Amino acid sequence: MNAVIPQSRILNLGDGRPSIEVLEAGDGEPLLFLHGAGGIAAWEGILPLLSEKYHVHAPLLPGFGRSDGLDYIEDQFDLFFHGFDVIEALGLERPYVVGESLGGWMAAEMAALRPKEIGRLALA
């Protein structure tokens, strides 16, 4: 396996909205990776493997990394809809969504709320 080095960028979700750090790598179908409560400490584990087949978008949730906007999250529904804001800002249509721990809960709720906007779902 070749060492995969992701690109990091700041994604602005719109005027008066949060800015989110997104790690990206790979080519292929879009895959949104939603991390757990521990964040993404490094581009390791499953992320390099997924980026061999998919274009992985790994946004850091508000309060993690260089992402801001924690004050926009008042309840779990704000968190779920934040996920859709990220999908829209990235320009993704029906991405595969992989959620780990907290991100898995978020991904499952997103799929339940708007199933037609999620391609496939994997929970870990």
Side-chain angles (χ1 to χ4, degrees), residues 6-19:
Q7 298 295 313
S8 173
R9 68 177 170 130
I10 299 297
L11 179 67
N12 189 319
L13 299 183
D15 290 339
R17 302 281 296 141
S19 295

Side-chain angles (χ1 to χ4, degrees), residues 19-69:
S19 295
I20 302 299
E21 182 178 6
V22 180
L23 303 177
E24 292 183 62
D27 295 314
E29 295 290 320
L31 183 146
L32 184 72
F33 179 83
L34 300 174
H35 66 78
I40 300 174
W43 186 264
E44 58 188 23
I46 192 68
L47 293 175
L49 296 173
L50 288 171
S51 70
E52 290 179 5
K53 185 172 180 180
Y54 301 98
H55 183 139
V56 176
H57 304 268
L60 279 72
L61 295 173
F64 290 87
R66 296 184 296 157
S67 296
D68 62 22

